[in-house]
mmCIF file of all heavy atoms in Angstrom:
data_model
loop_
_atom_site.group_PDB
_atom_site.id
_atom_site.type_symbol
_atom_site.label_atom_id
_atom_site.label_comp_id
_atom_site.label_asym_id
_atom_site.label_seq_id
_atom_site.Cartn_x
_atom_site.Cartn_y
_atom_site.Cartn_z
ATOM 1 N N LYS G 1 168.043 58.171 28.553
ATOM 2 C CA LYS G 1 168.763 59.320 29.107
ATOM 3 C C LYS G 1 167.904 60.578 29.131
ATOM 4 O O LYS G 1 168.088 61.443 29.992
ATOM 5 C CB LYS G 1 170.070 59.546 28.349
ATOM 6 C CG LYS G 1 171.070 58.451 28.652
ATOM 7 C CD LYS G 1 172.417 58.714 28.036
ATOM 8 C CE LYS G 1 173.378 57.621 28.492
ATOM 9 N NZ LYS G 1 174.764 57.969 28.222
ATOM 10 N N LYS G 2 166.944 60.686 28.234
ATOM 11 C CA LYS G 2 166.025 61.828 28.247
ATOM 12 C C LYS G 2 165.085 61.785 29.447
ATOM 13 O O LYS G 2 164.570 62.810 29.884
ATOM 14 C CB LYS G 2 165.191 61.879 26.955
ATOM 15 C CG LYS G 2 165.967 62.336 25.754
ATOM 16 C CD LYS G 2 165.055 62.436 24.551
ATOM 17 C CE LYS G 2 165.837 63.003 23.379
ATOM 18 N NZ LYS G 2 164.950 63.395 22.280
ATOM 19 N N PHE G 3 164.848 60.582 29.973
ATOM 20 C CA PHE G 3 163.955 60.409 31.111
ATOM 21 C C PHE G 3 164.428 61.221 32.317
ATOM 22 O O PHE G 3 163.607 61.731 33.085
ATOM 23 C CB PHE G 3 163.850 58.919 31.471
ATOM 24 C CG PHE G 3 162.876 58.628 32.574
ATOM 25 C CD1 PHE G 3 161.513 58.753 32.366
ATOM 26 C CD2 PHE G 3 163.318 58.215 33.815
ATOM 27 C CE1 PHE G 3 160.604 58.473 33.377
ATOM 28 C CE2 PHE G 3 162.421 57.931 34.839
ATOM 29 C CZ PHE G 3 161.066 58.062 34.614
ATOM 30 N N VAL G 4 165.720 61.386 32.460
ATOM 31 C CA VAL G 4 166.284 62.132 33.596
ATOM 32 C C VAL G 4 165.759 63.564 33.626
ATOM 33 O O VAL G 4 165.507 64.120 34.694
ATOM 34 C CB VAL G 4 167.837 62.128 33.546
ATOM 35 C CG1 VAL G 4 168.434 62.989 34.634
ATOM 36 C CG2 VAL G 4 168.363 60.701 33.650
ATOM 37 N N SER G 5 165.568 64.163 32.460
ATOM 38 C CA SER G 5 165.144 65.563 32.408
ATOM 39 C C SER G 5 163.632 65.736 32.204
ATOM 40 O O SER G 5 163.148 66.858 32.101
ATOM 41 C CB SER G 5 165.903 66.302 31.306
ATOM 42 O OG SER G 5 165.651 65.711 30.057
ATOM 43 N N ASP G 6 162.895 64.641 32.167
ATOM 44 C CA ASP G 6 161.443 64.728 32.013
ATOM 45 C C ASP G 6 160.840 65.382 33.255
ATOM 46 O O ASP G 6 161.108 64.951 34.376
ATOM 47 C CB ASP G 6 160.860 63.327 31.810
ATOM 48 C CG ASP G 6 159.376 63.380 31.518
ATOM 49 O OD1 ASP G 6 158.616 63.717 32.446
ATOM 50 O OD2 ASP G 6 158.975 63.076 30.388
ATOM 51 N N PRO G 7 160.014 66.413 33.101
ATOM 52 C CA PRO G 7 159.488 67.162 34.256
ATOM 53 C C PRO G 7 158.275 66.525 34.943
ATOM 54 O O PRO G 7 157.810 67.020 35.969
ATOM 55 C CB PRO G 7 159.087 68.506 33.639
ATOM 56 C CG PRO G 7 158.677 68.148 32.241
ATOM 57 C CD PRO G 7 159.620 67.031 31.831
ATOM 58 N N THR G 8 157.779 65.427 34.422
ATOM 59 C CA THR G 8 156.509 64.867 34.902
ATOM 60 C C THR G 8 156.556 64.451 36.369
ATOM 61 O O THR G 8 155.607 64.684 37.119
ATOM 62 C CB THR G 8 156.078 63.674 34.031
ATOM 63 O OG1 THR G 8 156.128 64.075 32.656
ATOM 64 C CG2 THR G 8 154.674 63.239 34.374
ATOM 65 N N TYR G 9 157.643 63.838 36.794
ATOM 66 C CA TYR G 9 157.744 63.401 38.192
ATOM 67 C C TYR G 9 157.651 64.601 39.134
ATOM 68 O O TYR G 9 156.934 64.558 40.145
ATOM 69 C CB TYR G 9 159.051 62.630 38.444
ATOM 70 C CG TYR G 9 159.242 62.280 39.897
ATOM 71 C CD1 TYR G 9 158.596 61.188 40.452
ATOM 72 C CD2 TYR G 9 160.039 63.063 40.717
ATOM 73 C CE1 TYR G 9 158.749 60.885 41.794
ATOM 74 C CE2 TYR G 9 160.194 62.773 42.054
ATOM 75 C CZ TYR G 9 159.538 61.670 42.588
ATOM 76 O OH TYR G 9 159.689 61.382 43.912
ATOM 77 N N GLU G 10 158.336 65.685 38.813
ATOM 78 C CA GLU G 10 158.286 66.882 39.666
ATOM 79 C C GLU G 10 156.887 67.495 39.662
ATOM 80 O O GLU G 10 156.424 67.998 40.683
ATOM 81 C CB GLU G 10 159.331 67.914 39.234
ATOM 82 C CG GLU G 10 160.728 67.579 39.702
ATOM 83 C CD GLU G 10 160.818 67.430 41.222
ATOM 84 O OE1 GLU G 10 160.275 68.273 41.972
ATOM 85 O OE2 GLU G 10 161.441 66.442 41.667
ATOM 86 N N GLU G 11 156.219 67.455 38.516
ATOM 87 C CA GLU G 11 154.833 67.937 38.444
ATOM 88 C C GLU G 11 153.940 67.120 39.378
ATOM 89 O O GLU G 11 153.088 67.672 40.081
ATOM 90 C CB GLU G 11 154.309 67.856 37.011
ATOM 91 C CG GLU G 11 154.948 68.847 36.074
ATOM 92 C CD GLU G 11 154.552 68.605 34.615
ATOM 93 O OE1 GLU G 11 153.612 67.823 34.350
ATOM 94 O OE2 GLU G 11 155.188 69.198 33.741
ATOM 95 N N LEU G 12 154.155 65.799 39.385
ATOM 96 C CA LEU G 12 153.378 64.915 40.255
ATOM 97 C C LEU G 12 153.651 65.228 41.713
ATOM 98 O O LEU G 12 152.729 65.360 42.517
ATOM 99 C CB LEU G 12 153.704 63.456 39.940
ATOM 100 C CG LEU G 12 153.035 62.400 40.813
ATOM 101 C CD1 LEU G 12 151.515 62.496 40.726
ATOM 102 C CD2 LEU G 12 153.529 61.010 40.429
ATOM 103 N N ARG G 13 154.927 65.360 42.071
ATOM 104 C CA ARG G 13 155.301 65.665 43.455
ATOM 105 C C ARG G 13 154.662 66.968 43.925
ATOM 106 O O ARG G 13 154.056 67.037 44.996
ATOM 107 C CB ARG G 13 156.823 65.741 43.591
ATOM 108 C CG ARG G 13 157.297 65.929 45.038
ATOM 109 C CD ARG G 13 158.788 66.201 45.106
ATOM 110 N NE ARG G 13 159.208 67.365 44.349
ATOM 111 C CZ ARG G 13 158.972 68.629 44.723
ATOM 112 N NH1 ARG G 13 158.330 68.891 45.833
ATOM 113 N NH2 ARG G 13 159.387 69.621 43.970
ATOM 114 N N THR G 14 154.752 67.999 43.108
ATOM 115 C CA THR G 14 154.186 69.305 43.452
ATOM 116 C C THR G 14 152.665 69.224 43.580
ATOM 117 O O THR G 14 152.075 69.786 44.506
ATOM 118 C CB THR G 14 154.575 70.351 42.389
ATOM 119 O OG1 THR G 14 156.010 70.433 42.337
ATOM 120 C CG2 THR G 14 154.004 71.711 42.717
ATOM 121 N N ALA G 15 152.026 68.513 42.667
ATOM 122 C CA ALA G 15 150.568 68.376 42.705
ATOM 123 C C ALA G 15 150.118 67.649 43.967
ATOM 124 O O ALA G 15 149.102 68.012 44.576
ATOM 125 C CB ALA G 15 150.076 67.660 41.456
ATOM 126 N N ILE G 16 150.873 66.630 44.366
ATOM 127 C CA ILE G 16 150.535 65.914 45.598
ATOM 128 C C ILE G 16 150.696 66.829 46.805
ATOM 129 O O ILE G 16 149.822 66.867 47.677
ATOM 130 C CB ILE G 16 151.372 64.626 45.724
ATOM 131 C CG1 ILE G 16 150.887 63.609 44.685
ATOM 132 C CG2 ILE G 16 151.270 64.039 47.143
ATOM 133 C CD1 ILE G 16 151.747 62.376 44.563
ATOM 134 N N GLU G 17 151.788 67.578 46.849
ATOM 135 C CA GLU G 17 152.001 68.524 47.956
ATOM 136 C C GLU G 17 150.853 69.535 48.049
ATOM 137 O O GLU G 17 150.423 69.902 49.132
ATOM 138 C CB GLU G 17 153.318 69.270 47.778
ATOM 139 C CG GLU G 17 154.540 68.452 48.086
ATOM 140 C CD GLU G 17 155.827 69.204 47.817
ATOM 141 O OE1 GLU G 17 155.797 70.402 47.434
ATOM 142 O OE2 GLU G 17 156.902 68.585 47.983
ATOM 143 N N ASN G 18 150.361 69.974 46.887
ATOM 144 C CA ASN G 18 149.302 70.989 46.841
ATOM 145 C C ASN G 18 147.896 70.390 46.867
ATOM 146 O O ASN G 18 146.915 71.139 46.795
ATOM 147 C CB ASN G 18 149.470 71.856 45.585
ATOM 148 C CG ASN G 18 150.732 72.663 45.608
ATOM 149 O OD1 ASN G 18 151.229 73.028 46.668
ATOM 150 N ND2 ASN G 18 151.281 72.939 44.440
ATOM 151 N N GLN G 19 147.822 69.072 46.945
ATOM 152 C CA GLN G 19 146.546 68.359 46.906
ATOM 153 C C GLN G 19 145.686 68.774 45.715
ATOM 154 O O GLN G 19 144.473 68.921 45.804
ATOM 155 C CB GLN G 19 145.791 68.527 48.231
ATOM 156 C CG GLN G 19 146.521 67.933 49.396
ATOM 157 C CD GLN G 19 145.716 67.937 50.678
ATOM 158 O OE1 GLN G 19 144.617 68.481 50.744
ATOM 159 N NE2 GLN G 19 146.251 67.330 51.706
ATOM 160 N N ASP G 20 146.361 68.951 44.585
ATOM 161 C CA ASP G 20 145.720 69.286 43.317
ATOM 162 C C ASP G 20 145.481 67.965 42.575
ATOM 163 O O ASP G 20 146.307 67.527 41.772
ATOM 164 C CB ASP G 20 146.640 70.228 42.523
ATOM 165 C CG ASP G 20 146.112 70.564 41.150
ATOM 166 O OD1 ASP G 20 145.052 70.037 40.740
ATOM 167 O OD2 ASP G 20 146.791 71.341 40.441
ATOM 168 N N PHE G 21 144.364 67.328 42.872
ATOM 169 C CA PHE G 21 144.166 65.958 42.433
ATOM 170 C C PHE G 21 143.916 65.810 40.936
ATOM 171 O O PHE G 21 144.217 64.764 40.364
ATOM 172 C CB PHE G 21 143.076 65.287 43.266
ATOM 173 C CG PHE G 21 143.473 65.197 44.710
ATOM 174 C CD1 PHE G 21 142.765 65.887 45.683
ATOM 175 C CD2 PHE G 21 144.587 64.458 45.102
ATOM 176 C CE1 PHE G 21 143.152 65.823 47.013
ATOM 177 C CE2 PHE G 21 144.972 64.387 46.421
ATOM 178 C CZ PHE G 21 144.265 65.073 47.388
ATOM 179 N N SER G 22 143.422 66.840 40.278
ATOM 180 C CA SER G 22 143.280 66.729 38.825
ATOM 181 C C SER G 22 144.673 66.698 38.175
ATOM 182 O O SER G 22 144.892 65.941 37.219
ATOM 183 C CB SER G 22 142.421 67.855 38.253
ATOM 184 O OG SER G 22 143.019 69.107 38.447
ATOM 185 N N THR G 23 145.603 67.486 38.709
ATOM 186 C CA THR G 23 146.968 67.465 38.191
ATOM 187 C C THR G 23 147.678 66.190 38.610
ATOM 188 O O THR G 23 148.480 65.637 37.849
ATOM 189 C CB THR G 23 147.748 68.711 38.647
ATOM 190 O OG1 THR G 23 147.042 69.877 38.202
ATOM 191 C CG2 THR G 23 149.152 68.737 38.083
ATOM 192 N N VAL G 24 147.371 65.681 39.803
ATOM 193 C CA VAL G 24 147.942 64.396 40.225
ATOM 194 C C VAL G 24 147.553 63.316 39.229
ATOM 195 O O VAL G 24 148.393 62.546 38.760
ATOM 196 C CB VAL G 24 147.476 64.007 41.660
ATOM 197 C CG1 VAL G 24 147.828 62.550 41.965
ATOM 198 C CG2 VAL G 24 148.075 64.928 42.701
ATOM 199 N N GLU G 25 146.271 63.279 38.880
ATOM 200 C CA GLU G 25 145.799 62.270 37.935
ATOM 201 C C GLU G 25 146.504 62.409 36.588
ATOM 202 O O GLU G 25 146.995 61.426 36.021
ATOM 203 C CB GLU G 25 144.286 62.387 37.741
ATOM 204 C CG GLU G 25 143.748 61.361 36.775
ATOM 205 C CD GLU G 25 142.258 61.515 36.496
ATOM 206 O OE1 GLU G 25 141.674 62.552 36.857
ATOM 207 O OE2 GLU G 25 141.698 60.590 35.900
ATOM 208 N N ARG G 26 146.574 63.614 36.066
ATOM 209 C CA ARG G 26 147.201 63.842 34.752
ATOM 210 C C ARG G 26 148.675 63.485 34.770
ATOM 211 O O ARG G 26 149.177 62.778 33.895
ATOM 212 C CB ARG G 26 147.018 65.291 34.311
ATOM 213 C CG ARG G 26 147.603 65.582 32.922
ATOM 214 C CD ARG G 26 147.525 67.047 32.553
ATOM 215 N NE ARG G 26 148.021 67.962 33.560
ATOM 216 C CZ ARG G 26 149.320 68.167 33.829
ATOM 217 N NH1 ARG G 26 150.256 67.506 33.172
ATOM 218 N NH2 ARG G 26 149.683 69.037 34.754
ATOM 219 N N ALA G 27 149.401 63.951 35.802
ATOM 220 C CA ALA G 27 150.847 63.703 35.869
ATOM 221 C C ALA G 27 151.140 62.218 36.077
ATOM 222 O O ALA G 27 152.056 61.667 35.454
ATOM 223 C CB ALA G 27 151.476 64.542 36.983
ATOM 224 N N ALA G 28 150.375 61.566 36.948
ATOM 225 C CA ALA G 28 150.582 60.124 37.175
ATOM 226 C C ALA G 28 150.275 59.323 35.913
ATOM 227 O O ALA G 28 150.981 58.371 35.588
ATOM 228 C CB ALA G 28 149.727 59.645 38.348
ATOM 229 N N HIS G 29 149.244 59.738 35.189
ATOM 230 C CA HIS G 29 148.901 59.067 33.931
ATOM 231 C C HIS G 29 150.006 59.245 32.908
ATOM 232 O O HIS G 29 150.382 58.284 32.206
ATOM 233 C CB HIS G 29 147.564 59.604 33.400
ATOM 234 C CG HIS G 29 147.029 58.831 32.266
ATOM 235 N ND1 HIS G 29 147.335 59.117 30.960
ATOM 236 C CD2 HIS G 29 146.203 57.748 32.240
ATOM 237 C CE1 HIS G 29 146.734 58.252 30.170
ATOM 238 N NE2 HIS G 29 146.033 57.411 30.928
ATOM 239 N N THR G 30 150.549 60.441 32.815
ATOM 240 C CA THR G 30 151.648 60.700 31.885
ATOM 241 C C THR G 30 152.885 59.899 32.264
ATOM 242 O O THR G 30 153.520 59.266 31.417
ATOM 243 C CB THR G 30 151.983 62.210 31.860
ATOM 244 O OG1 THR G 30 150.819 62.931 31.440
ATOM 245 C CG2 THR G 30 153.138 62.508 30.920
ATOM 246 N N LEU G 31 153.234 59.918 33.558
ATOM 247 C CA LEU G 31 154.406 59.184 34.024
ATOM 248 C C LEU G 31 154.220 57.684 33.803
ATOM 249 O O LEU G 31 155.155 56.973 33.437
ATOM 250 C CB LEU G 31 154.683 59.503 35.497
ATOM 251 C CG LEU G 31 155.981 58.976 36.085
ATOM 252 C CD1 LEU G 31 157.191 59.417 35.269
ATOM 253 C CD2 LEU G 31 156.121 59.442 37.530
ATOM 254 N N LYS G 32 153.011 57.203 33.995
ATOM 255 C CA LYS G 32 152.692 55.794 33.737
ATOM 256 C C LYS G 32 152.986 55.442 32.281
ATOM 257 O O LYS G 32 153.603 54.421 31.985
ATOM 258 C CB LYS G 32 151.231 55.523 34.059
ATOM 259 C CG LYS G 32 150.778 54.105 33.749
ATOM 260 C CD LYS G 32 149.286 53.967 33.903
ATOM 261 C CE LYS G 32 148.622 54.576 32.699
ATOM 262 N NZ LYS G 32 147.408 53.970 32.246
ATOM 263 N N GLY G 33 152.569 56.309 31.371
ATOM 264 C CA GLY G 33 152.803 56.060 29.944
ATOM 265 C C GLY G 33 154.272 56.058 29.581
ATOM 266 O O GLY G 33 154.743 55.172 28.853
ATOM 267 N N VAL G 34 155.010 57.011 30.101
ATOM 268 C CA VAL G 34 156.448 57.076 29.836
ATOM 269 C C VAL G 34 157.134 55.833 30.411
ATOM 270 O O VAL G 34 157.966 55.198 29.757
ATOM 271 C CB VAL G 34 157.059 58.375 30.404
ATOM 272 C CG1 VAL G 34 158.573 58.366 30.294
ATOM 273 C CG2 VAL G 34 156.484 59.590 29.700
#
């Protein structure tokens, strides 16, 4: 139930929109772990 409020997916979406690939890598890695 805590997964619903985890901000990582939104961070990934925003990073992809902004083509901020270092943040894409970090957010995707974090989301992968969760």
